[in-house]
Amino acid sequence: MDAYELVTRNTAEIVTEDELRALLNKPTKRVYTGYEPSGEIHLGHLVTINKLMDMKAAGFDVVVLIANLHAYLNRKGTFEQIKELADYNKACIEAVGLKGAEFVLGTDVQLTPKYQTEVLTLCQQITLNRATRSMDEVGRAMDNPMVSQMVYPVMQVVDIPTLNVDAAVGGIDQRKIHMLAREHLPTLGYKPPVCIHTPIVNGLDGEKMSSSKGNVVSVADSPEEIKKKMKKAFCPPETEGNPILQIFRYNVFPRMDTIAIRRPEKFGGDLEFHSYAELETAYAGGKIHPMDLKAACGDALTELLADAYAYVQSYKN
């Protein structure tokens, strides 16, 4: 798989493909994404973490912003609560497989006069309506947004030149904020970033993923908890929107070359798959029972998250 294929696989959108190709030809290139320290690292995070790993393999220097100030502005807790999670989340991100990245704490770079001046300058250019719309899928309790949440997307725009990155990775829910960056950074004298957007995957119940709903698998889940969650997970005969197939596509196959479906001989014996496309075709054709697919998914996740779970146990003890 060449560098372009690595970067673009399992993405929802690249803005723009021509700019990405040009960037890949540069000897030095930097990409970032940001994570609010607001809870456990889970499969939703792993989609973008896997993409950062792809980009590192494609020759990018990877920067991870631990966005503690963003979390505070987005009503995710007190400074003390967020501070406690920041170092923990950083270690968990490393433990799930992202090695050799540069981690930056938001408050270490976002409180300088230059940064704040650029935020205020953009606040004069971006309408309140545009800022609100950009936060629709990102903000907490957006039926009654705070002024702090309107500052959030403007800061995210300024993060890009502050971190000196060429590209930004995020879920497709980040698209409106990234488009603000592409539109407005040139007014400050900066080049717009290449934007790589990943899909938003469903929770285990087929609905929107949310830690508060308990429809996620996190690094704090034991192997027994993972397997229990898999047994209860929604796994329809259809492939579209199937959360178990999404886990295989976006979380498992980017990290594992072979997936085994363990079955008794009377049900056809074991199966092995070497690509997601093979697995999806077999499932769509009725060759794999949903319970067997879910069991294999539980086994794969247990293996993938083993190091992170071991870290969580040592941290809590």
Side-chain angles (χ1 to χ4, degrees):
M1 193 176 296
D2 67 18
Y4 184 80
E5 288 178 298
L6 268 175
V7 172
T8 58
R9 69 171 176 170
N10 291 337
T11 57
E13 181 186 43
I14 305 292
V15 185
T16 67
E17 292 184 6
D18 288 343
E19 291 175 18
L20 174 60
R21 289 186 186 278
L23 182 57
L24 285 168
N25 288 327
K26 293 185 176 181
T28 303
K29 43 200 171 284
R30 287 164 61 85
V31 62
Y32 103 106
T33 197
Y35 299 104
E36 292 181 3
S38 59
E40 298 288 355
I41 299 299
H42 55 67
L43 295 187
H45 299 105
L46 198 60
V47 176
T48 50
I49 292 171
N50 282 336
K51 183 48 54 189
L52 290 176
M53 292 172 67
D54 283 344
M55 297 191 75
K56 191 171 187 300
F60 281 81
D61 295 329
V62 172
V63 181
V64 176
L65 177 68
I66 302 296
N68 59 335
L69 191 51
H70 279 88
Y72 181 69
L73 294 175
N74 201 20
R75 308 160 76 175
K76 296 293 181 71
T78 65
F79 263 127
E80 290 72 23
Q81 291 168 330
I82 294 166
K83 182 177 183 297
E84 185 177 338
L85 278 170
D87 287 341
Y88 171 64
N89 280 176
K90 171 184 177 292
C92 287
I93 291 169
E94 291 179 313
V96 294
L98 183 59
K99 310 295 185 185
E102 174 188 346
F103 285 83
V104 178
L105 188 65
T107 45
D108 286 345
V109 297
Q110 294 167 336
L111 299 176
T112 66
K114 182 176 186 292
Y115 183 97
Q116 292 298 325
T117 299
E118 291 183 337
V119 168
L120 294 175
T121 299
L122 290 185
C123 283
Q124 289 187 316
Q125 300 178 19
I126 298 170
T127 66
L128 185 60
N129 182 54
R130 185 84 182 276
T132 304
R133 284 190 289 116
S134 74
M135 286 292 288
D136 282 346
E137 297 181 67
V138 177
R140 169 170 286 187
M142 287 301 291
D143 54 331
N144 186 31
M146 298 292 106
V147 173
S148 66
Q149 291 169 294
M150 300 303 98
V151 178
Y152 183 114
V154 184
M155 287 178 56
Q156 193 167 330
V157 171
V158 178
D159 288 338
I160 291 167
T162 300
L163 296 172
N164 191 30
V165 296
D166 307 289
V169 167
I172 195 67
D173 57 344
Q174 299 281 327
R175 187 183 196 280
K176 292 177 183 177
I177 296 177
H178 286 166
M179 293 309 101
L180 282 179
R182 287 183 58 84
E183 180 180 339
H184 288 280
L185 281 179
T187 70
L188 297 178
Y190 300 117
K191 188 176 180 180
V194 174
C195 300
I196 296 96
H197 297 137
T198 57
I200 303 301
V201 297
N202 291 333
L204 296 179
D205 55 1
E207 303 297 324
K208 183 177 179 180
M209 187 178 290
S210 170
S211 295
S212 61
K213 290 182 179 179
N215 63 355
V216 302
V217 171
S218 83
V219 296
D221 290 334
S222 68
E224 294 73 27
E225 288 171 316
I226 291 173
K227 290 172 184 178
K228 183 178 179 180
K229 287 182 175 183
M230 286 298 112
K231 284 183 180 179
K232 295 181 178 179
F234 178 61
C235 188
E238 299 79 19
T239 59
E240 187 69 26
N242 184 316
I244 304 304
L245 286 176
Q246 288 180 342
I247 292 171
F248 274 112
R249 180 174 183 177
Y250 299 110
N251 297 134
V252 176
F253 271 105
R255 305 278 293 278
M256 301 177 75
D257 295 328
T258 302
I259 299 300
I261 306 290
R262 305 296 182 191
R263 307 184 303 184
E265 286 298 328
K266 65 179 180 179
F267 294 127
D270 295 349
L271 294 172
E272 281 194 352
F273 298 94
H274 303 284
S275 73
Y276 172 72
E278 290 178 17
L279 179 70
E280 183 185 281
T281 299
Y283 185 75
K287 296 178 180 178
I288 306 172
H289 191 278
M291 289 303 294
D292 293 327
L293 187 73
K294 292 195 291 184
C297 190
D299 290 340
L301 287 178
T302 298
E303 182 178 341
L304 278 179
L305 300 177
D307 289 347
Y309 179 68
Y311 169 75
V312 171
Q313 293 306 108
S314 65
Y315 177 87
K316 290 184 175 180
N317 294 330

